Amino acid sequence: MSERTAAPQSVRDLPDRILAVRAAEGDEDSFAFLVQRHSRSLLGLARCVVGDSQDAEEAVQDAFLSAWRRLPEYRHHAEFRTWMYRITVNRCLNMRRRRPPPLSLETVAEPVTADAWSQPARSAEQDAATAALSRALAGLDEEQRLCWLLREVQGMPYKEIAQVTHTSEQTVRGRLFRARRSLQEAMGPWR
């Protein structure tokens, strides 16, 4: 059992802002708890934005490394989680600009389950719908796609999305409206 998993319950229950203050003062264990607490959701977001698990892991690692270095600058104007989302999104967007686009879902074969063999028509329909959604998401502009992912996949409130994207809540609502309308039109045949 590692020392991090054997830490007292009270440390694990501390709010992010206290852990961030402690981490800014050099407490590596506090930062480790923050990493543990937020890495899963950040990795999920990064996968959606960059489209590749390995690139997503690299982006999240870079984001946490950057956060560790910048913790003394963190002023708690936003929640730690929101601050980390902003750093991660920036890393992901920079990565997307530097690298070729990821493979589409159409070119990657889904693993076949035993149930899929018993219902090939249903499996083919699900694959086609997934491919259609992937194309529809790829057709959105970057800002709309990011707002949609943060809201619909990550479940973030509008205020936090606005902080992550450096925009207003009104702008977020507009981008989400346009994204949903575009996706609704593109996915119309699949209803």
Side-chain angles (χ1 to χ4, degrees), residues 56-185:
E57 288 176 16
E58 182 181 330
V60 171
Q61 285 176 354
D62 286 350
F64 277 120
L65 182 61
S66 176
W68 174 252
R69 290 179 184 146
R70 294 173 46 201
L71 267 171
E73 302 168 20
Y74 176 53
R75 297 291 175 239
H76 308 279
H77 297 296
E79 292 182 35
F80 179 81
R81 172 182 102 131
T82 304
W83 188 61
M84 282 305 307
Y85 268 77
R86 185 180 311 147
I87 294 170
T88 303
V89 164
N90 288 340
R91 292 287 182 270
C92 291
L93 294 177
N94 288 339
M95 187 175 280
R96 280 179 59 118
R97 289 180 191 114
R98 287 190 312 249
R99 295 190 176 154
L103 293 173
S104 75
L105 291 177
E106 296 172 332
T107 61
V108 179
E110 284 277 330
V112 177
T113 62
D115 187 42
W117 288 111
S118 63
Q119 299 176 346
R122 183 174 176 201
S123 178
E125 186 175 333
Q126 286 177 340
D127 289 348
T130 300
L133 179 59
S134 178
R135 283 191 304 273
L137 283 170
L140 296 176
D141 69 43
E142 201 167 78
E143 292 86 8
Q144 289 177 6
R145 183 174 45 253
L146 180 58
C147 287
W148 188 87
L149 289 170
L150 290 171
R151 179 68 182 165
E152 303 300 334
V153 178
Q154 298 295 319
M156 276 189 149
Y158 295 117
K159 182 178 181 177
E160 285 186 45
I161 296 170
Q163 290 173 337
V164 169
T165 59
H166 299 286
T167 60
S168 68
E169 285 184 58
Q170 186 72 19
T171 300
V172 168
R173 289 178 191 281
R175 288 176 181 171
L176 282 169
F177 174 80
R178 288 186 298 280
R180 288 174 179 147
R181 186 179 56 201
S182 295
L183 292 173
Q184 210 170 21
E185 288 173 10

